[in-house]
Amino acid sequence: MAPRPPKASPERAPVVSWETAALALVCGSDEYRVAEQARKILTAWCPPEQQDLGLETVDGAVDTIDEAVGAIQRVLDAVATVGLFGGAKVEWLREASFFSEAVPGKFESVKEGVARLTEEIKRGLMPGQRLLISASKVHRGYAFYKACMAAGAVMEYDLADKPREMIEQAQATVRDLLAREKIKATGAVIQALVNQAGYDTRLLVQEVGKLSTYLGDRRELTVEDVRLMVAPSRESATWDLAELISQRDLA
């Protein structure tokens, strides 16, 4: 993807390149970009034909304390075990939900588990092992985050949280997606697409893909194309509603 606008929480530069790192942490509120980058790293570290023997995946998308503690323990067990026949091994803690102050990460037993994992990361992985962690939220003040920064590559993909920045970020995403598809579009067309589809990266990817199929050999997108093919799905923000009420615009 093209770099996001400067005010839209750009990706932090990794300490080392993930291509050569033994550990990679991919996190942020833009779930689509996090998942896309994690898959990219996984495929490079452990190609599909090697994943049956060389990959161990732990589901970190959990809701309860016991599930979180269990997921952390499975990761600890995995990094303490050599690969089959002494071969290379990749552990993937996928979509972890316990590296912030939200539930279940705020509970003491979960924090203790994260602390054990942090110490394991500080000690370093065994030769031939690599650890990939993807998560939506990681508290930057935690020792875990700092240990990942010191031990490997940390990549963050955050959605903007201010109205103007959200629009700019979404428009930048659309421009990049259209360029990938070799579709020409004016600024007015890009604005219309964002107005219709909203700011979610995954939805924007889907809509641009749909438009590309619709256009066929034609590679120039118009506002009429957007209005015809993209269903309105942008959520009206509370300030939009308040403004309409102040204008007595009941419709």
Side-chain angles (χ1 to χ4, degrees), residues 13-241:
V15 175
V16 296
S17 170
W18 63 261
E19 288 95 339
T20 57
L23 178 145
L25 169 64
V26 189
C27 58
S29 57
D30 192 333
E31 296 180 2
Y32 178 84
R33 292 183 193 268
V34 170
E36 183 182 51
Q37 182 63 27
R39 283 289 179 185
K40 179 180 178 180
I41 295 172
L42 179 64
T43 301
W45 282 6
C46 190
E49 64 272 13
Q50 299 176 14
Q51 291 181 7
D52 286 344
L53 299 178
L55 173 65
E56 185 167 350
T57 302
V58 176
D59 185 6
V62 297
D63 299 315
T64 68
I65 299 174
D66 290 342
E67 290 173 338
V69 171
I72 295 168
Q73 187 59 53
R74 286 192 291 276
V75 175
L76 290 170
D77 293 342
V79 298
T81 306
V82 297
L84 191 64
F85 307 120
K89 183 181 176 185
V90 174
E91 290 86 25
W92 181 17
L93 175 56
R94 183 178 62 191
E95 300 176 6
S97 60
F98 40 78
F99 292 124
S100 71
E101 285 295 334
V103 176
K106 68 177 184 178
F107 293 102
E108 196 60 35
S109 56
V110 179
K111 290 182 178 180
E112 291 173 359
V114 173
R116 292 198 303 272
L117 178 58
T118 301
E119 289 304 312
E120 195 68 32
I121 290 171
K122 289 180 179 178
R123 279 195 292 269
L125 302 176
M126 291 188 292
Q129 285 201 349
R130 290 176 128 174
L131 176 59
L132 171 61
I133 302 170
S134 58
S136 58
K137 295 180 180 178
V138 177
H139 196 295
R140 294 176 183 174
Y142 278 11
F144 167 78
Y145 178 88
K146 296 176 182 178
C148 290
M149 287 285 290
V154 175
M155 288 145 282
E156 298 183 64
Y157 298 92
D158 285 321
L159 292 169
D161 54 6
K162 296 181 180 179
R164 183 180 295 277
E165 293 172 4
M166 291 169 67
I167 294 171
E168 292 174 351
Q169 188 180 63
Q171 289 179 348
T173 298
V174 169
R175 279 194 294 271
D176 183 59
L177 292 170
L178 292 173
R180 284 188 182 186
E181 298 289 341
K182 296 181 172 56
I183 297 174
K184 296 179 180 179
T186 65
V189 173
I190 293 172
Q191 182 178 351
L193 179 50
V194 171
N195 287 343
Q196 288 284 98
Y199 314 125
D200 181 76
T201 303
R202 187 180 302 276
L203 183 57
L204 291 173
V205 170
Q206 293 173 351
E207 293 297 346
V208 171
K210 183 172 67 178
L211 285 165
S212 180
T213 301
Y214 165 74
L215 290 175
D217 294 334
R218 179 162 62 95
R219 295 286 91 183
E220 186 162 354
L221 187 66
T222 67
V223 172
E224 289 71 24
D225 296 326
V226 172
R227 290 173 178 168
L228 176 64
M229 296 301 299
V230 180
S233 57
R234 183 173 71 90
E235 294 182 1
S236 295
T238 54
W239 50 84
D240 292 336
L241 178 61

